[in-house]
Amino acid sequence: LLASHPSIVFFLTMLVGAGGNAGNQAAVRGIRGLATGDLNVETTRDFLVFEAKMAIALSAMLLVAGILRTAAFGVAPLDTLAIALSLFAIVSTSVLLGAVLPLILHHIKVDAAHAATSVQVLMDVLGVLITCSIATAFFDAA
């Protein structure tokens, strides 16, 4: 995969970085809500619905930005599409994970503040896996 489509490697840092940053922001919103008491049993559903909408909106905007950026660098159209779809999947996964992780940690009596750094590390690994999975499926189908 990477030998025949080196552009995937060139944009991998952008992909995993975007995931870590997006997930961290969602985690911070959750951590802050738990700390202030704004996020509790009664508000959890609304918080998760808001974060799901945020995940879709942010992912859609970054999908367009990813297409523009890869096109500007002259990346092949098929590779551009694989990179952009990976970006969408990574960012949406990251925001959802960032929203849920503080809640899980809080529930098991672990300091929810650990979610911010944890989501970045998790998304580094998941970002590579998501990118390779999407790119492999995409190129195999083409």
Side-chain angles (χ1 to χ4, degrees):
L1 168 70
L2 301 178
S4 58
H5 299 277
S7 59
I8 302 295
V9 175
F10 302 148
F11 287 93
L12 199 54
T13 303
M14 174 192 77
L15 295 169
V16 298
N21 290 335
N24 189 34
Q25 292 301 314
V28 167
R29 285 189 295 276
I31 294 164
R32 184 177 185 285
L34 289 169
T36 62
D38 292 338
L39 181 54
N40 53 50
V41 175
E42 292 83 28
T43 61
T44 298
R45 184 178 186 285
D46 291 340
F47 171 73
L48 292 175
V49 168
F50 174 82
E51 290 300 327
K53 290 177 184 177
M54 183 67 70
I56 293 167
L58 187 57
S59 297
M61 288 186 286
L62 289 174
L63 176 119
V64 173
I67 289 171
L68 294 174
R69 184 170 183 203
T70 52
F73 282 92
V75 174
L78 197 58
D79 290 14
T80 292
L81 200 51
I83 291 166
L85 291 175
S86 296
L87 184 58
F88 183 91
I90 289 168
V91 171
S92 57
T93 300
S94 182
V95 171
L96 295 174
L97 184 60
V100 170
L101 195 54
L103 297 171
I104 292 170
L105 292 177
H106 181 72
H107 181 72
I108 63 172
K109 308 283 190 249
V110 174
D111 187 0
H114 294 297
T117 53
S118 298
V119 75
Q120 288 183 310
V121 173
L122 286 169
M123 286 314 301
D124 284 347
V125 175
L126 287 175
V128 172
L129 291 173
I130 289 169
T131 300
C132 290
S133 297
I134 288 175
T136 298
F138 200 80
F139 297 137
D140 285 349

